[in-house]
């Protein structure tokens, strides 16, 4: 029986690729390698995995001949401006207790760096938090948007208070890392490879990625999961804090942390291993009351140390710089022109977006009581995160329509008052005047893009609210409302 033989096509033969396609493919690979090697922003370069930590020789800035004179304190601010300001106050206190010069940080973009939840024992560890703050700070410098906390908050009374010392982050890092920040601020937002690599190495070192280095850097790993800092507290040093993770949370999250109360002076002051280090790096310095304790720092008074007690009282309220305060007063006097009520309505951020009814209720009750006085129209200054285009259908929309009973006032970012204040604040350059290092020697100048300091609107609004003679209605639980109440308590508008 004969069989038929079928000849099948040879599938092993492939179509030949065009030389042009091969050339384009290779060119693309070479271009991408060159781009990432030379121009990638350090803010896009994460810390390597801990398992890959290299053994490095002692950094040059840690050698005795290169070491900076003095002792410094650095920390990692985070979250929104009000939280950052609270941390700044705590940092001032810590720096004074430990007799260190405080490195004044920039104002970070709103929630650009997040800590996590202390009550849930779920927070970013201090090394990662410090590096995130470092990266964002370099990002702000690269974009020419850097604004120091001292450009916004007036610390001049503390500077003249001889026992408190400050240095701007830019001036410090210029000396510590040996970089000129004029080379970072760039319209095309690129940093050449040698500089970007130097910044990454410097940030890794300061963050504690390579660990603490004897006599040079102490990078603390204490955070709110394990430590509550105290000072001259009657409770035994090292005692357990009253708030601990419950057994259910321990099992669910596999938590092994135990929160202890530690005296910061005994742990990090004279006689400690940390005391000899040029730089002491904290993680977060934010704290808040929680279940009868404090989340991280429990230092409210110091009856046995009158110098620290005086400082605690001085930092309770830190006003905005004169340029911002004057802008707020100007709006109140020249635009509103008369008694007014301030309504601070936080409606879109976090937990507040689910409580619109409760937020509006306080305002409604206050306006109803003011109506009984017979004054018409009632002037109301509104600061809110709800855009005016979305007021329709809300209580704000209804009172805005009632022009006979109410006259509403708002400030917008594009208003001349805001733009002029931005220019004045940047021209003043309060941050770079800190300490004995002049801007010229620090390798910095005050170049900024027009979009710099967009948050100045918030600071002006808070000042206007402090001038509201008919009262203030704030959003319950908002740190912004707490800040305004503090400003009103200290009569910032009466001066």
């Amino acid at each position: 029986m004969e069989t038929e033989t079928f000849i099948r096509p040879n599938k092993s033969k492939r179509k030949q690729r065009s030389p042009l396609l091969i050339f384009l493919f290779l060119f693309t690979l070479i271009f991408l390698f060159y781009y990432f090697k030379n121009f990638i922003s350090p803010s896009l370069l994460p810390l390597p995995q801990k398992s890959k930590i290299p053994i490095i020789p002692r950094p040059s800035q840690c050698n005795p001949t290169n070491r900076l004179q003095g002792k410094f304190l650095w920390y990692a601010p985070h979250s929104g401006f009000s939280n950052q300001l609270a941390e700044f106050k705590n940092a001032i206190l810590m720096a004074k207790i430990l007799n260190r010069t405080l490195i004044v940080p920039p104002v970070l973009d709103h929630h650009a760096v997040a800590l996590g939840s202390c009550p849930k024992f779920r927070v970013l560890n201090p090394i990662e938090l410090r590096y995130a703050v470092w990266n964002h700070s370099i990002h702000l410098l690269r974009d020419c948007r850097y604004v120091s906390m001292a450009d916004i908050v007036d610390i001049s009374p503390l500077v003249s208070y001889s026992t408190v010392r400050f240095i701007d982050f830019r001036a410090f890092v210029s000396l510590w890392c040996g970089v000129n920040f004029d080379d970072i601020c760039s319209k095309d937002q690129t940093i050449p490879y040698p500089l970007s690599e130097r910044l990454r190495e410097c940030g890794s070192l300061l963050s504690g990625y390579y660990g603490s280095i004897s006599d040079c850097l102490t990078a603390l790993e204490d955070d709110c999961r394990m430590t509550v800092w105290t000072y001259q507290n009657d409770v035994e040093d090292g005692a357990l804090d009253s708030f601990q993770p419950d057994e259910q949370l321990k099992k669910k999250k596999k938590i092994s942390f135990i929160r202890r109360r530690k005296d910061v002076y005994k742990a990090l002051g004279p006689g400690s291993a940390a005391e000899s280090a040029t730089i002491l790096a904290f993680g977060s310095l934010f704290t808040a009351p929680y279940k009868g304790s404090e989340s991280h720092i429990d230092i409210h008074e110091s009856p046995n140390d009158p110098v620290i007690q005086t400082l605690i009282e001085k930092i309770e309220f830190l006003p905005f710089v004169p340029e911002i305060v004057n802008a707020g007063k100007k709006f109140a006097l020249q635009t509103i022109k008369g008694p007014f009520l301030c309504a601070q309505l936080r409606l879109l951020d976090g937990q507040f977006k689910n409580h619109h009814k409760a937020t509006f209720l306080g305002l409604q009750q206050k306006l109803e009581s003011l109506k009984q006085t017979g004054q018409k129209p009632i002037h109301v200054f509104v600061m809110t995160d709800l855009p005016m285009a979305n007021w329709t259908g809300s209580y704000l929309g209804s009172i805005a329509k009632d022009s006979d009973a109410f006259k509403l006032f708002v400030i917008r970012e594009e208003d001349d008052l805001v733009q002029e204040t931005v220019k004045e604040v940047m021209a003043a350059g309060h941050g770079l005047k800190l300490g004995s290092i002049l801007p010229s020697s620090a390798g910095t100048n005050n170049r900024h893009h027009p979009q710099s300091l967009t948050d100045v609107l918030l600071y002006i609004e808070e000042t206007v609210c402090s001038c509201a003679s008919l009262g203030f209605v704030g959003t319950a639980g908002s740190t912004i409302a707490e800040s305004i109440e503090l400003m009103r308590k200290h009569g910032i508008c009466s001066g």
Side-chain angles (χ1 to χ4, degrees), residues 134 137-138 141-142 146 168-175 177 179-186 195 199 442-445 447:
W134 168 270
S137 300
I138 299 302
L141 283 163
R142 183 200 64 184
Y146 189 102
D168 187 83
F169 173 84
R170 292 162 292 184
F172 172 81
V173 177
S174 291
L175 299 176
C177 303
V179 299
N180 187 320
F181 282 128
D182 286 345
D183 296 336
I184 300 177
C185 174
S186 172
L195 179 56
L199 289 170
T444 60
N445 75 36
R447 289 185 297 162

Side-chain angles (χ1 to χ4, degrees), residues 405-455:
F406 308 105
K407 185 174 182 180
L408 305 190
F409 297 85
V410 296
I411 306 177
R412 302 176 180 85
E413 282 187 9
E414 62 270 19
D415 289 351
D416 290 343
L417 176 69
V418 177
Q419 298 305 312
E420 289 169 4
T421 306
V422 168
K423 294 176 183 177
E424 290 174 3
V425 169
M426 301 324 303
H430 297 290
L432 283 173
K433 295 176 182 177
L434 294 175
S436 59
I437 301 176
L438 298 175
S440 57
S441 65
T444 60
N445 75 36
N446 227 15
R447 289 185 297 162
H448 287 81
H449 287 174
Q451 71 269 29
S452 296
L453 199 56
T454 53
D455 282 346

Side-chain angles (χ1 to χ4, degrees), residues 64-351:
T65 54
N66 297 332
R67 195 177 302 165
L68 296 179
Q69 297 299 310
K71 294 179 180 180
F72 304 87
L73 185 149
W74 187 49
Y75 71 102
H78 52 81
S79 306
F81 176 77
S82 296
N83 284 9
Q84 293 175 48
L85 179 55
E87 284 191 271
F88 183 55
K89 293 177 182 179
N90 289 331
I92 293 171
L93 184 59
M94 292 294 201
K96 174 53 191 167
I97 291 174
L98 299 173
N99 193 26
R100 288 179 174 271
T101 298
L102 177 61
I103 301 171
V104 179
V107 176
L108 308 186
D109 290 341
H110 188 70
H111 290 314
V113 178
L115 172 66
S117 173
C118 285
K120 295 180 180 178
F121 288 76
R122 186 179 64 242
V123 297
L124 206 61
N125 75 57
I127 294 175
E128 293 174 326
L129 188 65
R130 285 189 290 260
Y131 196 71
V133 170
W134 168 270
N135 270 339
H136 186 63
S137 300
I138 299 302
H139 180 88
L140 293 171
L141 283 163
R142 183 200 64 184
D143 296 347
C144 309
R145 296 193 301 112
Y146 189 102
V147 179
S148 170
M149 179 62 77
D151 289 327
I152 304 303
V153 178
D154 186 6
I155 60 172
S156 57
L158 296 178
V159 173
S160 60
Y161 185 52
S162 60
T163 57
V164 182
R165 302 186 303 274
F166 301 90
I167 184 173
D168 187 83
F169 173 84
R170 292 162 292 184
F172 172 81
V173 177
S174 291
L175 299 176
W176 174 258
C177 303
V179 299
N180 187 320
F181 282 128
D182 286 345
D183 296 336
I184 300 177
C185 174
S186 172
K187 289 184 178 180
D188 58 9
Q189 298 184 349
T190 57
I191 303 176
Y193 170 71
L195 179 56
S196 67
E197 185 62 21
R198 188 187 308 172
L199 289 170
R200 183 172 73 164
E201 290 176 357
C202 192
S204 300
L205 174 65
L206 279 172
S207 301
Y209 172 66
Y210 302 114
S212 296
I213 301 174
S214 177
D215 298 331
C216 180
L217 169 73
T218 295
L220 297 176
E221 296 192 22
D222 296 79
D223 59 30
C224 59
R225 295 171 295 181
M226 62 190 75
T227 302
V228 178
W229 292 114
T230 66
Y231 179 62
Q232 295 184 341
N233 195 294
D234 293 335
V235 178
E236 179 186 356
D237 189 41
L240 293 178
D241 185 62
S242 61
F243 173 65
Q244 301 288 341
D246 58 39
E247 292 303 319
Q248 183 179 1
L249 188 61
K250 283 182 180 179
K251 292 179 181 178
K252 182 179 179 181
K253 300 293 184 181
K254 298 180 180 180
I255 290 175
S256 59
F257 304 109
I258 297 176
R259 280 166 52 88
R260 295 189 180 275
R261 299 176 69 81
K262 296 168 63 175
D263 188 295
V264 66
Y265 187 78
K266 292 178 182 178
L268 307 172
S272 68
E275 195 272 337
S276 62
T278 300
I279 301 174
L280 175 62
F282 281 87
S284 166
L285 285 178
F286 180 75
T287 192
Y290 189 76
K291 291 191 175 180
S293 182
E294 285 280 349
S295 61
H296 194 36
I297 300 171
D298 192 1
I299 306 175
H300 298 286
E301 58 181 1
S302 178
N304 299 324
D305 190 334
V307 174
I308 297 299
Q309 182 61 43
T310 300
L311 181 60
I312 291 173
E313 294 167 1
K314 282 180 175 287
I315 65 175
E316 179 195 16
F317 173 63
L318 296 178
F320 292 125
V321 292
E323 293 79 9
I324 292 172
V325 172
N326 292 339
K329 290 182 178 180
K330 181 179 179 181
F331 186 86
L333 293 173
Q334 298 183 14
T335 302
I336 301 180
K337 298 178 182 177
F340 67 97
L341 172 75
C342 172
Q344 180 263 334
L345 306 170
R346 196 168 176 182
L347 301 166
L348 300 181
D349 187 30
Q351 60 174 324

